[in-house]
Amino acid sequence: MVEEIGTTADGDLIINVGPQHPATHGVLHLVITLNGETIKKVEPHLGYIHRSIEKMCESLSYRQFIYVTSRMDYLSSHINNHGCALLVEKAMQIEVPARAQAIRVLLDELTRIASHELWWGAMAMDLGAFTPFFHAFREREMINEIMEDTCGARLTMNYILPGGVLEDIHPDFVKKTKEFIALFKRKVDEYFELLTGNIIFQNRMKGVGILSAEDAISFGCSGPTLRGSGISCDVRKHYPYEIYSQLQFEEVLETGCDSLARYLVRLREMKQSIHIIEQLIDNIPEGDFQAKTKAVLKLPKGEFYQRVETARGEFGIYVVSEGGTTPYRIKFRSPGFSNLSALDHMARGSKIGDLVAMMGTLDLVIPDIDR
Amino acid sequence: MTNEELKIKITELLPSATFEEGGDFLNINIESKDWLSFAMQLNSDNTLAFDYLFCLTCVDWKTHLTMVYHLTSTKFRHNIVIKSKLEKVNPAIETVCKIWRTAELHEREVYEMFGVNFLNHPDLRLLILPDGWEGRNPLLKDFDDPINMIKL
């Protein structure tokens, strides 16, 4: 039962944050028990944007279900699609042409940059710094335009299909991406100058939302949240998919275990994404962008699991197939759901003003949590 | 550890476990009554060190339910899948949220979607479904809602 606003028998105050609250960036509902300004408990209430995607997918074909996942983590929609396509390709042993692989990875990394930029701007705005939002969105717009040219959409790309990509890249893709990279390299350093060193910002981030390495593992955190606690967990490194094993990039780790560490991981990750794009942009192989596949896809009987590294962490797809054209059961392991489970632990004992910083650095996307 | 080494080690820990291979990971079938003590061993054994529960879900097979736990070790990077059959009527299994704390929310989701009762769970109640939801578990195969469900 959702507690109403009021006081408990111990004299603690219960307040509701959300479901409509600017700092939750979506319909997340938190019921917080407060003693003065100190948080005693944070209870998430989910489901305001639950669409039962898992049930829906049980009646969708293996071509169709990929595009539903765009609507989960809408900031990593391309990477979600990528994971689903990889699963189908692995199960049916479809060979993906080299050109399609390079295009997919390029767009993955552009998506990651765009997602981190939005996070950076929005998180800074939550903390009261308004300028970063405009800086981030100015550069993000360039990525959106690149996406729009090639995929036809700016947010929910739906550009991947089993066996390759839907269309070849736009003729201007390489030129525009190069322009973006040249500009963005300077901009990332500018981001550091603009916000990271700011003393007010540092005070609000340092030592806030401590999540020890042990706890982060126990709570099943992944992505920048786990890497901010010093644990190596990049799926691209440990379980490489597509052409990641041939690419040079560093896994960014910070050992601060606090909000600042998670913040630094994401900022430094953008530089690594640029590095990956630079290696690929002049070396997109010629050839087909799509493998020839059967009109109707049937997965063999069995169970399949595929994971990919989205901007928020490890996204896993678990499919149980009975050999038909639709999955028997499908489970999406969304990074946000597990990361959110750590919020209560992080927040206990801190001041309510710090909750926004913690939520900001967890980088929660609510449709991803609710599914 | 390789799958073969894992098999030997796990047979030592739990002789009644049976194995399935061929999928992405090594699948281990266990009895639901063995789960809690087995889970503790998986987590605390120094050579296994399964400290990361990355996926917890349930599958409705119409005649029975199967709990599926995906585990990995952040130290050794080996993966296993634990499966346990549950009765269709009043399914119940011990909670593992003391061992892997992420299980608390995941188990609440399985509880409301499949009706599995997690014994000794500290806070077993609805998570995603609205308050006042009446007993029907949406992810079961026999669930039907002609008004709100759109068949594609």
Side-chain angles (χ1 to χ4, degrees), chain B residues 90-108:
Chain B
N90 295 329
I93 192 165
E94 279 286 335
T95 174
V96 285
C97 66
K98 298 260 164 31
I99 305 166
W100 302 286
R101 295 167 78 180
T102 186
E104 191 175 329
L105 281 193
H106 280 93
E107 285 178 346
R108 275 175 68 183

Side-chain angles (χ1 to χ4, degrees), chain A residues 304-346:
Chain A
F304 307 94
Y305 192 91
Q306 176 67 44
R307 41 186 156 197
V308 284
E309 182 78 16
T310 75
R312 259 145 289 282
E314 179 182 326
F315 174 66
I317 306 119
Y318 172 63
V319 170
V320 180
S321 166
E322 282 282 80
T325 53
T326 58
Y328 183 75
R329 162 93 175 105
I330 196 159
K331 156 84 183 168
F332 294 110
R333 183 256 190 238
S334 67
F337 190 80
S338 297
N339 288 352
L340 176 76
S341 69
L343 181 65
D344 178 42
H345 176 77
M346 282 160 70

Side-chain angles (χ1 to χ4, degrees), chain A residues 1-3 43-48 50 52 54-56 58-60 90 215-223 226 231-233 238-239 301 303-307 314 318 320-322 327-329 331-334 337-338 340-341 345 369-371, chain B residues 20 23-25 27 51-62 68 70 72-74 77-79 81 83 98-103 105-106 108-109 113-114 123 125-129 131-132 137-144 149-152:
Chain A
M1 199 57 209
V2 180
E3 258 107 316
E43 245 181 87
H45 287 267
L46 308 178
Y48 291 90
H50 179 71
S52 204
E54 289 172 9
K55 183 96 177 172
M56 213 190 287
E58 286 174 11
S59 61
L60 293 177
K90 182 166 73 178
D215 287 333
I217 292 172
S218 181
F219 279 112
C221 296
S222 57
L226 190 53
I231 304 292
S232 158
C233 64
H238 293 293
Y239 307 98
K301 194 171 184 315
E303 288 167 22
F304 307 94
Y305 192 91
Q306 176 67 44
R307 41 186 156 197
E314 179 182 326
Y318 172 63
V320 180
S321 166
E322 282 282 80
Y328 183 75
R329 162 93 175 105
K331 156 84 183 168
F332 294 110
R333 183 256 190 238
S334 67
F337 190 80
S338 297
L340 176 76
S341 69
H345 176 77
I369 296 169
D370 278 5
R371 282 158 288 137
Chain B
E20 259 174 62
D24 297 313
F25 310 117
N27 288 277
D51 52 2
Y52 192 81
L53 175 73
F54 62 95
C55 187
L56 186 164
T57 190
C58 187
V59 182
D60 178 15
W61 289 105
K62 289 179 188 152
V68 186
H70 285 73
T72 190
S73 163
T74 51
R77 305 276 164 205
H78 45 223
N79 304 288
V81 182
K83 287 188 200 163
K98 298 260 164 31
I99 305 166
W100 302 286
R101 295 167 78 180
T102 186
L105 281 193
H106 280 93
R108 275 175 68 183
E109 191 190 342
M113 295 296 175
F114 292 91
D123 190 19
R125 57 197 165 87
L126 298 180
L127 175 71
I128 290 171
L129 297 176
D131 296 326
N137 307 105
L139 278 183
L140 290 178
K141 289 282 174 187
D142 54 12
F143 176 84
D144 198 27
M149 255 166 73
I150 301 162
K151 292 261 165 64
L152 292 164

Side-chain angles (χ1 to χ4, degrees), chain B residues 4-115:
Chain B
E4 285 309 311
E5 286 167 334
L6 280 170
K7 262 187 189 174
I8 295 164
K9 178 76 193 167
I10 284 162
T11 314
E12 269 173 41
L13 292 176
L14 189 74
S16 66
T18 57
F19 301 94
E20 259 174 62
E21 257 180 300
D24 297 313
F25 310 117
L26 176 69
N27 288 277
I28 302 162
N29 293 312
I30 61 157
E31 296 274 337
S32 62
K33 63 176 169 48
D34 298 331
W35 173 227
L36 186 65
S37 56
F38 183 51
M40 279 176 181
Q41 284 173 319
L42 289 178
N43 181 250
S44 58
D45 191 288
N46 288 331
T47 55
L48 294 172
F50 284 107
D51 52 2
Y52 192 81
L53 175 73
F54 62 95
C55 187
L56 186 164
T57 190
C58 187
V59 182
D60 178 15
W61 289 105
K62 289 179 188 152
T63 51
H64 62 272
L65 301 175
T66 306
M67 283 299 299
V68 186
Y69 301 84
H70 285 73
L71 293 167
T72 190
S73 163
T74 51
K75 202 167 156 197
F76 303 115
R77 305 276 164 205
H78 45 223
N79 304 288
I80 51 168
V81 182
I82 310 283
K83 287 188 200 163
S84 181
K85 257 192 196 182
L86 301 181
E87 297 289 320
K88 180 84 181 180
V89 183
N90 295 329
I93 192 165
E94 279 286 335
T95 174
V96 285
C97 66
K98 298 260 164 31
I99 305 166
W100 302 286
R101 295 167 78 180
T102 186
E104 191 175 329
L105 281 193
H106 280 93
E107 285 178 346
R108 275 175 68 183
E109 191 190 342
V110 172
Y111 161 72
E112 64 187 355
M113 295 296 175
F114 292 91

Side-chain angles (χ1 to χ4, degrees), chain A residues 150-175:
Chain A
T150 295
C151 317
R154 295 157 64 88
L155 205 62
T156 48
M157 280 77 142
N158 300 345
Y159 180 57
I160 290 185
L161 79 177
V165 291
L166 204 59
E167 287 287 338
D168 208 351
I169 46 174
H170 191 268
D172 285 344
F173 177 80
V174 174
K175 185 175 138 266

Side-chain angles (χ1 to χ4, degrees), chain A residues 75-79 82 100-114 143 146-151 153 157-160 165-170 173 177 244 276-277 280-281 284:
Chain A
L75 295 178
S76 300
S77 55
H78 185 78
I79 311 180
H82 194 172
Q101 296 199 11
I103 295 171
R104 283 173 174 194
V105 170
L106 269 169
L107 290 179
D108 270 5
E109 295 309 316
L110 282 173
T111 308
R112 198 181 314 280
I113 294 175
I143 299 184
I146 294 170
M147 293 292 185
E148 195 178 357
D149 286 348
T150 295
C151 317
M157 280 77 142
N158 300 345
Y159 180 57
I160 290 185
V165 291
L166 204 59
E167 287 287 338
D168 208 351
I169 46 174
H170 191 268
F173 177 80
T177 308
Y244 278 112
I276 294 175
I277 296 172
L280 280 173
I281 192 72
I284 305 175

